[in-house]
Amino acid sequence: MAKRIVTAIDVGTTKIATVMADVKSQDDIEVIGLGVVPSHGLHKGIVVNMDEAKSSVASSVKEAQKVSGLRIDSAYVGVTGRHVSSINNHGVVSIPHSDRLVRPQDLKRVLSTTRGAPVPEGKKVLHAIPRYYALDGQERVKKPVGMHGTRLDVETHIITASVSSVRNLAKCIRSAGIEVADLILEPLASGEAVLTPQEMDAGIIMADIGGGTTDIAVFKDGSIYHTAIIPVAGYQLTSDLSIGLGLPFTVAERMKKRYGNVMPEMEDDQVEDLGLENGHTASHRDLCNIIRSRMEELFELILLEMPTTDYQSLAPHGLVLTGGTSNLEGLDELGRAALRMPVRKGQPYAEIYGITDVLYDPAYATTVGLVLWQARDKEPSAWQVKRGGIFGGFVNLIRKIFRS
Ligand SMILES: Nc1ncnc2c1ncn2[C@@H]1O[C@H](COP(=O)(O)OP(=O)(O)OP(=O)(O)O)[C@@H](O)[C@H]1O
Ligand SMILES: [Mg+2]
């Protein structure tokens, strides 16, 4: 692959992170620009105040440009929020050629048949990801082009998103002078950063517990199998602490990060009152108890979003936690006790170097994943981004098929 500069903008509920990377090859990625600023104007993953969101994006982009000394023209942007939903769909076509050889246009045809799934009013297909093909009944074929057969089946994962939510997000980015090169569902990006191909093959659940949303993705047979977004994460946890302990939000947020711990039992010597600035105090035990019960509830919500109750067969590798909230001490241990499955924290793993200062934190799994998505030439979205005109997404898809 030719050397190229790629840019990703992770528009989160609490932070906006712009990363510029020099991709020399798939595993030689130098981060050359980074701009992280607090996010304003977003709630649970969607834009609620356009002016505030625009200016947050603009300052994050400006900072990254300053660090790299380069201008950003276009960027990959993450999408999340309750408006996102997904289904698995199936398509089938016959191979008409006399030699019965599967050609790229047959792949295009079979994929387009799966797009016919009913899309709710006001929504559009964001991703139509082929999970695997079957050729004359032979399942799990990854690349059928060049193989012989008479019947080609495809299993796809279709992700839809609200047209107006995505348009508002894109508008924020464009107003900072940046073209949206493509849109990627955030949990797909996070998975790229923290999961191994073996885990994705055998089956694993990933939960990115951020500020406003918990983004869930299940990977199976090497590909995405299920996605869901829960509108509960770190922000709601702080809000509960603020109400439960009678503290201002900002004080509760600081206490959560500094003293929060979800270990099942609290030792006697830890039961002290925490003195904080401006005379605010709270019991350490109360703080941890609230956090623990909220996190136990969140684990239950994650399981409720699963497509089956046979978690062992679905995800033998268990659950991987990312997002800022997964920094809570003991959260993996609590998860193992609550869910009775393997649970680990996922840090973006280290095939990136350069200005990576904060990027190895689980809070940056999506950010790093958005860079890796480009570096690894992953499936383009089906969204018709402006750059490609009205047929942009379709052209991208065809381009990808010809490359594979
Ligand atoms: N050490 C910590 N302990 C507990 N919570 C933490 C810690 N560090 C960060 N957080 C929480 O993580 C959240 C931010 O996570 P993250 O940066 O992944 O969110 P985001 O990407 O801005 O939001 P989203 O993806 O939900 O739109 C905040 O609610 C913050 O309080
Ligand atoms: Mg995030």
Side-chain angles (χ1 to χ4, degrees):
M1 189 192 70
K3 173 180 145 88
R4 59 182 168 138
I5 308 290
V6 301
T7 302
I9 308 180
D10 176 2
V11 187
T13 306
T14 58
K15 62 157 193 316
I16 304 204
T18 302
V19 181
M20 300 173 73
D22 184 352
V23 179
K24 291 150 194 161
S25 72
Q26 286 200 1
D27 35 35
D28 187 352
I29 301 168
E30 181 182 2
V31 177
I32 55 170
L34 180 63
V36 182
V37 302
S39 161
H40 298 289
L42 277 113
H43 185 63
K44 298 187 181 192
I46 59 173
V47 177
V48 290
N49 182 323
M50 185 59 89
D51 287 341
E52 285 183 2
K54 274 181 189 172
S55 88
S56 301
V57 168
S59 28
S60 164
V61 164
K62 200 168 152 196
E63 203 174 309
Q65 292 187 146
K66 202 155 85 188
V67 172
S68 68
L70 297 172
R71 238 191 75 79
I72 301 172
D73 296 319
S74 67
Y76 272 48
V77 178
V79 175
T80 184
R82 192 70 203 246
H83 59 98
V84 173
S85 49
S86 71
I87 48 158
N88 284 330
N89 205 358
H90 179 100
V92 59
V93 290
S94 69
I95 305 301
H97 328 290
S98 54
D99 57 5
R100 301 290 186 198
L101 202 61
V102 179
R103 292 170 168 75
Q105 60 264 37
D106 300 318
L107 247 59
K108 193 189 84 182
R109 251 182 340 116
V110 74
L111 278 174
S112 69
T113 63
T114 69
R115 299 271 194 89
V119 175
E121 178 87 16
K123 289 197 172 190
K124 252 174 56 177
V125 175
L126 176 63
H127 294 282
I129 300 175
R131 294 172 50 229
Y132 58 83
Y133 299 90
L135 203 50
D136 288 353
Q138 157 109 37
E139 294 209 336
R140 316 280 150 183
V141 176
K142 286 275 171 195
K143 290 186 175 173
V145 172
M147 294 173 73
H148 292 276
T150 54
R151 173 196 166 115
L152 177 67
D153 290 65
V154 66
E155 290 294 328
T156 51
H157 188 66
I158 310 260
I159 297 165
T160 61
S162 144
V163 175
S164 49
S165 297
V166 173
R167 271 196 193 146
N168 286 336
L169 177 65
K171 197 168 167 188
C172 278
I173 308 291
R174 291 200 186 103
S175 72
I178 313 291
E179 270 308 317
V180 177
D182 207 359
L183 296 151
I184 306 299
L185 183 74
E186 292 191 1
L188 287 181
S190 307
E192 281 302 305
V194 300
L195 304 179
T196 64
Q198 293 74 22
E199 286 174 328
M200 288 195 196
D201 236 24
I204 193 157
I205 306 163
M206 192 209 60
D208 188 299
I209 316 174
T213 59
T214 294
D215 298 356
I216 300 165
V218 181
F219 296 85
K220 188 97 190 140
D221 302 317
S223 171
I224 187 76
Y225 175 75
H226 180 73
T227 39
I229 314 281
I230 303 174
V232 177
Y235 180 88
Q236 290 73 24
L237 179 58
T238 304
S239 172
D240 286 347
L241 288 172
S242 157
I243 295 162
L245 302 174
L247 298 169
F249 187 91
T250 47
V251 176
E253 172 74 12
R254 270 200 292 277
M255 279 185 97
K256 174 183 84 172
K257 288 191 190 166
R258 195 150 155 209
Y259 303 109
N261 183 327
V262 291
M263 300 306 245
E265 284 306 322
M266 180 136 276
E267 303 293 333
D268 278 349
D269 62 358
Q270 285 179 292
V271 187
E272 85 266 27
D273 275 354
L274 303 166
L276 277 152
E277 67 264 55
N278 302 329
H280 293 295
T281 60
S283 138
H284 194 191
R285 196 204 292 253
D286 289 349
L287 176 90
C288 295
N289 282 345
I290 295 175
I291 297 177
R292 192 169 63 246
S293 56
R294 287 294 169 268
M295 289 298 105
E296 281 170 345
E297 278 168 21
L298 184 56
F299 284 132
E300 278 172 28
L301 290 176
I302 292 172
L303 286 191
L304 285 176
E305 292 293 343
M306 290 301 114
T308 161
T309 49
D310 184 4
Y311 312 120
Q312 181 54 37
S313 317
L314 178 73
H317 282 274
L319 172 68
V320 173
L321 301 171
T322 62
T325 303
S326 68
N327 280 312
L328 274 171
E329 209 179 317
L331 194 63
D332 44 355
E333 202 172 308
L334 182 74
R336 283 193 286 274
L339 304 175
R340 299 181 189 286
M341 64 168 72
V343 178
R344 71 168 175 88
K345 292 186 183 180
Q347 262 173 297
Y349 54 88
E351 58 197 22
I352 50 167
Y353 61 96
I355 305 166
T356 50
D357 304 32
V358 293
L359 295 180
Y360 294 124
D361 186 295
Y364 291 88
T366 307
T367 325
V368 172
L370 287 169
V371 170
L372 295 178
W373 193 269
Q374 300 170 75
R376 293 175 182 169
D377 280 330
K378 302 295 285 190
E379 199 70 39
S381 85
W383 205 268
Q384 293 158 2
V385 287
K386 196 178 160 204
R387 180 181 53 106
I390 193 155
F391 298 116
F394 195 54
V395 169
N396 278 342
L397 185 68
I398 295 169
R399 209 181 285 145
K400 174 75 191 177
I401 290 166
F402 273 94
R403 236 187 290 147
S404 63

